[in-house]
Amino acid sequence: MSINLTEYAWSVHQNAVNKGFWDNNNGINFYIKQCAMIHSEVSEVVEAIAKDKGEQQIVDEMADIIIRLCDLWAGMNHDGIVKIQLEDALRDKAEYNKTRPKMHGKLA
């Protein structure tokens, strides 16, 4: 399956807008809250693993992270906060990470 990340982000963002999740967008505090919600989804993955809730629950929570992240990027792009395409940032960061030392030079 091939996915255009930008189109996907706009699709999930439009759904979030339609469902009222962007009705209270008051700028920076709203974006910070959205970041906290992504963090919350990460915590749900940790809980699913720790409590052995099974593969489906783990993957569902991972999907929630991606959905929330794409929604936030599209909303911030729409509001002019970020102009860089998410696909470009992912590609560039992955390429940069290839040049970094093992464990990024940190001790385990």
Side-chain angles (χ1 to χ4, degrees):
M1 176 180 149
S2 177
I3 188 166
N4 179 306
L5 191 56
T6 300
E7 288 177 12
Y8 178 77
W10 283 107
S11 173
V12 297
H13 177 64
Q14 189 57 58
N15 184 59
V17 168
N18 292 345
K19 300 295 182 181
F21 289 102
W22 284 77
D23 288 353
N24 296 317
N25 180 354
N26 60 354
I28 192 163
N29 289 331
F30 180 80
Y31 305 129
I32 291 169
K33 178 184 167 233
Q34 295 306 101
C35 289
M37 295 304 294
I38 294 167
H39 185 274
S40 173
E41 297 296 350
V42 172
S43 295
E44 289 181 19
V45 173
V46 171
E47 179 182 345
I49 294 167
K51 293 186 176 179
D52 197 22
K53 291 186 175 183
E55 177 183 1
Q56 188 64 56
Q57 185 71 31
I58 292 167
V59 174
D60 285 349
E61 298 303 343
M62 288 177 168
D64 284 341
I65 294 166
I66 295 168
I67 290 167
R68 285 193 177 274
L69 181 66
C70 286
D71 173 37
L72 178 58
W73 171 84
M76 292 180 80
N77 183 258
H78 176 267
D79 293 344
I81 305 300
V82 295
K83 296 176 181 66
I84 298 168
Q85 296 298 302
L86 194 52
E87 289 170 335
D88 295 340
L90 282 169
R91 182 196 61 243
D92 293 348
K93 186 66 176 187
E95 286 302 313
Y96 171 70
N97 285 344
K98 290 177 185 178
T99 70
R100 299 177 81 176
K102 184 174 183 173
M103 302 269 313
H104 299 178
K106 297 189 175 19
L107 298 175

